[in-house]
Amino acid sequence: MSRVLLLFLLVPAFTFAQPKYPVTDVVVLRNGNPIANAWAGGFNNPVFSEININGDSLKDLFVYDKAGWKAMVFLNTGSVGHPSFTYAPQYERMFPTTLRDWAVMRDYNRDGISDIFGNNIDAAINVWQGYRLGDGYLGYNQTYTNLQYQQSNGTTTNTARMWTFADNMPVIMDINGDGDIDILAPDINGGVSLDYYQNQAVDSGYSPDSLVFTLGNGCSDLLWGDFLEDVNDCGVALSVACKKELPSNGGIINTPRHQGGACCGFHYRNDNVVSLLVADILCPTTKFLENGGDSSYANIIYCDSIFPHYDIPVYCPIAPCAYTIDGNNDGYQDLVFAPFADNINQEGQSQDVNVVLYYENIGVDSVNLFHYVSDTMITGGIDIGTESHAVFFDYNGDSLSDIVIGNYGQFSQTGFPTSYLALYQNIGTSTAPKYQETSLNWNNLTAYQLNGIYPAFGDLDGDGHPDMLIGDSYGNISFFHNTGTTTATYPTMTQSDWFGINVGANAAPFIYDVNGDGLNDIIIGNRAGSVYYYQNYGTPTSPYFSTSPDSVNASFGNIHIYDHTVAGPPPGYATPFITVENGQMVLYSGSQLGWIYKYSINPDSLMNGSFALLDTSVLGTKPGLRSTISVADINHDGLNDYLCGNIRGGINLYSDANWGNVPVISSINEPALNQNFMQVYPNPAKDKIICRISNNNITLVSAKLLDMLGETTTITVNRSADNSLVLSVTDVINGIYVIQAMDSHGQLYQSKISIFK
């Protein structure tokens, strides 16, 4: 059982808080003009798909950002010839919380509702089938995990899974024109060619809900398109008859290459023949590969390595991947490009501001041609690069909550990301906030060449004016004395490496008088997911912080937030914020996986002991990976408002109040009932749960129990005499869980269950 779940034991009656309401209608001005989609949270590595989510005649956008593992919806609010997309966060809770790396919408069962194909932790593909809910929203039921294919060697047929990786984007579309979804994916052994997984569902008489893939063992089957990519540069070899056959130019060899290629299939000549747009992790351009074959046999006959050579070519420092959308509602597929190689493990490798390039389709009926329009048509609003560390702070003393945002850095061609503070001044009223972008280098922090700037504000020298601490990616703290009076001013760094404080990496400081002695203390989160407590041992005018082990609590409240999905030392990125609610001191924290946590601080356990975990999903949704949290009442209605940053460099705003009457929907949907559904009883359960399929001819082969964070809970699963699965939950704590089960055909079922003892 995970450490997080063990903390549940500290809470007598654990409950999930009411999900918070997203706020999107607070105006933010830039140069006097409102910023479109200001509160969308930013883009770093967005993957685009079309989806009709609200049932009108226009195609909306499903955007899944690889860097943030964040699913977003932008409603199509434009008209013919006038593209416009508006962020709609109320739809986010419909999507599976287990999406990661990349995800796209495809209607594989042809019911008019978009389904999801996405990468998973096992380097394979999961599939979620979409269905309409009674209130007009969509629900998703996972139907396939680790998507399989069959391969025959002439005498036997073997079944294996399709391998994909975070930086390998397959083509998922109807390749041969028979009406069902096929897949082209980079070959796992060489990576320089595409394997063609042909869907045989239609040919074999299966229902539209089926995905039955085959992969042949002949050269024409394995080497789709008769081409190979170069392992060392952006080149392509054409007329390669067999993958095992080395090209005569010697420039390409069939050896394993880097993992990092992204493909987009489209109908260049508006027929059934699929041509490609290919991104490569080695290349700043996109390659157009024209298919001169037909729907039954692909033959790439032409490569435009600086596409489109007839217009402004696509350029992005690393791996610009293409996506087809009808951006201007004229009935023709336009193109958008965005960097596919993300900034999760290697910050600063990918462009992270104005990342979406829009190319309008200006072709005629016989051929598609594309013209560059802008890099600002589809935006994620406020966006300051990679990682946004956002805090509320009244910098000018007018009792209005302004916003200060630090970042890890903004992409630079030099290879050294530029880290700075951005200031958004509240120019509204006490009941109606309104912001303007005041500075993108507030107090000139770029001069110090820091990375991972994380600001905190509070009076540390007793002069009545808030000073500033800056945490950085190396775990250090820098002190800036406030020389202003009414308006906070930090003209120079007073001291770097302040008191020798270091928390390992990615210091996220917060200033608060935790022990109530009248001196402001320092609380610091770090990359490992721990929280440090530095008690102020000084005087009101002369702070003093000791780094000796007996003076520092390096495990404040025994808080340890971490990402359970990675091997090795797991990152946590704790980002603490402390306030008082209903007379109780509480600590909020963001996290690597994006969930916002809430703890009750025990005043008797400041130097040792544990704090009770009150909530593991304060918002009811995730702002994105490496979330941060700051809390204030910005419209003075007596209710909390929540400002969140994330790895994508933007900000989100949530509230306990519904500012714009935005509906909040459940984060977990029941699966759609079809001819075969899973029966689960009793519900609520006490010591055991019985699962069976309504169709007696189908047998469940496995089942697992997930908590509300998507983590697997340890249970024992046995088979009963009537072939049902019996889940023993005697040792499982009270709460709401999800059962996921698989039948012998690879079909997945899920059902929500309550455990109460």
Side-chain angles (χ1 to χ4, degrees):
M1 185 175 294
S2 71
R3 177 75 173 271
V4 171
L5 285 180
L6 284 174
L7 288 175
F8 288 179
L9 298 175
L10 300 174
V11 188
F14 184 85
T15 59
F16 287 91
Q18 170 68 29
K20 309 307 177 186
Y21 295 92
V23 179
T24 60
D25 56 357
V26 174
V27 174
V28 183
L29 301 176
R30 175 180 292 148
N31 299 323
N33 299 311
I35 299 175
N37 302 314
W39 305 95
F43 288 153
N44 269 19
N45 308 104
V47 175
F48 292 88
S49 306
E50 290 186 321
I51 180 175
N52 189 349
I53 202 163
N54 57 359
D56 63 10
S57 60
L58 300 177
K59 291 292 184 68
D60 310 305
L61 292 182
F62 171 78
V63 182
Y64 189 79
D65 199 294
K66 285 187 62 195
W69 293 4
K70 176 65 175 178
M72 295 171 279
V73 169
F74 289 77
L75 294 179
N76 191 333
T77 52
S79 58
V80 176
H82 298 89
S84 176
F85 295 92
T86 302
Y87 179 52
Q90 65 267 28
Y91 294 100
E92 291 175 359
R93 292 187 178 93
M94 300 186 316
F95 302 113
T97 59
T98 51
L99 296 176
R100 56 179 293 138
D101 298 322
W102 57 260
V104 294
M105 290 286 177
R106 300 290 188 267
D107 182 11
Y108 80 88
N109 61 347
R110 292 165 287 165
D111 63 355
I113 302 172
S114 297
D115 311 305
I116 302 175
F117 287 71
N119 193 54
N120 65 27
I121 194 172
D122 296 319
I125 299 175
N126 288 351
V127 181
W128 292 262
Q129 187 180 118
Y131 58 93
R132 286 280 176 193
L133 297 170
D135 55 7
Y137 290 100
L138 299 179
Y140 284 92
N141 179 29
Q142 188 172 340
T143 50
Y144 290 91
T145 186
N146 293 345
L147 205 57
Q148 306 286 305
Y149 71 92
Q150 295 178 341
Q151 185 172 24
S152 174
N153 62 9
T155 58
T156 60
T157 299
N158 299 315
T159 299
R161 69 176 180 181
M162 299 180 199
W163 289 86
T164 60
F165 292 91
D167 288 330
N168 279 353
M169 180 73 185
V171 175
I172 303 175
M173 64 183 298
D174 183 6
I175 300 296
N176 59 0
D178 66 353
D180 53 18
I181 294 292
D182 308 300
I183 295 178
L184 291 174
D187 180 61
I188 188 64
N189 296 313
V192 295
S193 63
L194 294 181
D195 288 342
Y196 176 29
Y197 300 94
Q198 185 176 352
N199 191 346
Q200 300 290 335
V202 171
D203 309 78
S204 304
Y206 290 98
S207 70
D209 287 344
S210 300
L211 292 171
V212 183
F213 294 98
T214 60
L215 177 66
N217 62 356
C219 289
S220 62
D221 294 317
L222 288 173
L223 186 60
W224 187 91
D226 296 345
F227 77 96
L228 292 175
E229 291 188 75
D230 199 299
V231 296
N232 300 312
D233 59 30
C234 303
V236 172
L238 306 180
S239 302
V240 181
C242 179
K243 148 186 318 193
K244 302 180 181 66
E245 176 183 304
L246 299 182
S248 58
N249 64 12
I252 300 176
I253 55 176
N254 188 26
T255 57
R257 63 177 300 175
H258 58 273
Q259 292 299 333
C263 294
C264 170
F266 75 111
H267 300 287
Y268 170 61
R269 293 187 298 272
N270 289 316
D271 53 15
N272 284 332
V273 178
V274 175
S275 295
L276 300 179
L277 292 164
V278 178
D280 192 298
I281 203 168
L282 294 176
C283 309
T285 59
T286 298
K287 292 171 283 193
F288 164 56
L289 303 180
E290 181 182 353
N291 187 352
D294 54 33
S295 59
S296 62
Y297 186 84
N299 180 24
I300 301 301
I301 60 173
Y302 169 73
C303 173
D304 179 359
S305 61
I306 52 170
F307 174 84
H309 71 277
Y310 51 81
D311 198 272
I312 299 176
V314 174
Y315 182 86
C316 174
I318 185 169
C321 188
Y323 309 95
T324 57
I325 66 168
D326 182 8
N328 59 359
N329 303 301
D330 64 355
Y332 294 94
Q333 291 289 290
D334 307 310
L335 293 175
V336 290
F337 297 83
F340 193 70
D342 62 57
N343 288 327
I344 297 177
N345 298 314
Q346 184 178 337
E347 293 97 335
Q349 74 163 342
S350 177
Q351 185 173 330
D352 49 19
V353 173
N354 294 342
V355 299
V356 184
L357 308 179
Y358 173 58
Y359 282 73
E360 185 180 43
N361 192 336
I362 58 171
V364 296
D365 290 340
S366 60
V367 68
N368 292 300
L369 300 173
F370 301 94
H371 168 65
Y372 172 72
V373 177
S374 75
D375 62 0
T376 57
M377 192 204 79
I378 304 174
T379 73
I382 294 171
D383 194 340
I384 66 169
T386 296
E387 294 184 17
S388 48
H389 311 142
V391 300
F392 286 124
F393 172 54
D394 179 12
Y395 92 102
N396 56 0
D398 62 359
S399 299
L400 301 179
S401 294
D402 309 301
I403 295 174
V404 178
I405 314 174
N407 62 0
Y408 172 83
Q410 185 172 313
F411 174 82
S412 171
Q413 294 278 16
T414 65
F416 298 96
T418 303
S419 191
Y420 55 86
L421 288 179
L423 172 64
Y424 292 83
Q425 180 184 349
N426 188 344
I427 59 172
T429 67
S430 61
T431 59
K434 181 179 182 179
Y435 291 90
Q436 70 174 3
E437 188 175 79
T438 303
S439 174
L440 290 180
N441 188 16
W442 190 47
N443 289 289
N444 193 33
L445 258 68
T446 56
Y448 302 102
Q449 297 182 331
L450 301 171
N451 281 122
I453 286 178
Y454 201 114
F457 301 94
D459 184 9
L460 289 164
D461 55 12
D463 62 0
H465 305 303
D467 304 302
M468 180 171 69
L469 297 181
I470 294 294
D472 63 35
S473 59
Y474 295 102
N476 301 315
I477 297 293
S478 300
F479 175 66
F480 290 75
H481 172 64
N482 184 358
T483 62
T485 54
T486 302
T487 300
T489 305
Y490 310 100
T492 186
M493 181 188 292
T494 308
Q495 185 176 341
S496 62
D497 192 23
W498 200 43
F499 287 103
I501 294 172
N502 184 279
V503 295
N506 300 93
F510 186 76
I511 301 171
Y512 196 86
D513 181 8
V514 179
N515 59 1
D517 64 355
L519 304 178
N520 273 328
D521 308 306
I522 305 174
I523 307 298
I524 311 175
N526 70 357
R527 184 183 187 276
S530 299
V531 178
Y532 284 64
Y533 170 44
Y534 288 86
Q535 182 177 337
N536 189 342
Y537 291 100
T539 68
T541 59
S542 181
Y544 177 74
F545 298 94
S546 172
T547 58
S548 64
D550 58 347
S551 300
V552 179
N553 185 356
S555 184
F556 189 53
N558 277 332
I559 295 170
H560 185 57
I561 299 167
Y562 65 94
D563 177 1
H564 64 280
T565 67
V566 299
Y573 287 89
T575 57
F577 177 95
I578 296 177
T579 188
V580 173
E581 296 176 354
N582 300 318
Q584 171 65 50
M585 190 161 45
V586 296
L587 182 148
Y588 291 89
S589 178
S591 65
Q592 160 70 9
L593 287 179
W595 300 107
I596 303 297
Y597 294 82
K598 183 179 180 180
Y599 298 84
S600 174
I601 296 178
N602 182 355
D604 296 326
S605 301
L606 299 183
M607 294 307 295
N608 54 64
S610 300
F611 299 155
L613 176 62
L614 301 179
D615 202 340
T616 58
S617 179
V618 170
L619 305 176
T621 187
K622 297 188 293 185
L625 296 186
R626 294 182 197 167
S627 58
T628 69
I629 180 71
S630 185
V631 184
D633 179 8
I634 64 174
N635 64 345
H636 297 86
D637 63 354
L639 298 174
N640 280 347
D641 304 304
Y642 305 86
L643 176 68
C644 296
N646 65 79
I647 194 174
R648 306 183 326 272
I651 54 176
N652 299 107
L653 184 62
Y654 300 87
S655 180
D656 285 335
N658 191 350
W659 288 35
N661 297 315
V662 176
V664 172
I665 61 174
S666 173
S667 60
I668 293 184
N669 296 308
E670 296 290 351
L673 295 180
N674 50 41
Q675 62 178 2
N676 301 323
F677 61 92
M678 183 170 63
Q679 298 171 335
V680 175
Y681 57 92
N683 191 2
K686 182 178 181 181
D687 53 6
K688 67 179 179 179
I689 304 169
I690 299 173
C691 304
R692 64 185 304 273
I693 298 299
S694 59
N695 187 337
N696 292 328
N697 296 321
I698 297 178
T699 302
L700 290 176
V701 296
S702 65
K704 60 183 178 179
L705 189 69
L706 306 177
D707 64 21
M708 294 294 283
L709 295 180
E711 293 189 43
T712 300
T713 301
T714 302
I715 58 172
T716 301
V717 180
N718 295 304
R719 187 172 299 281
S720 65
D722 65 354
N723 235 6
S724 298
L725 292 185
V726 180
L727 284 59
S728 176
V729 294
T730 303
D731 297 327
V732 177
I733 63 175
N734 291 346
I736 300 173
Y737 297 83
V738 174
I739 296 173
Q740 285 189 353
M742 181 188 297
D743 67 22
S744 55
H745 299 289
Q747 287 282 110
L748 284 179
Y749 305 80
Q750 79 176 25
S751 180
K752 191 157 54 178
I753 187 84
S754 297
I755 297 177
F756 182 76
K757 302 171 184 177

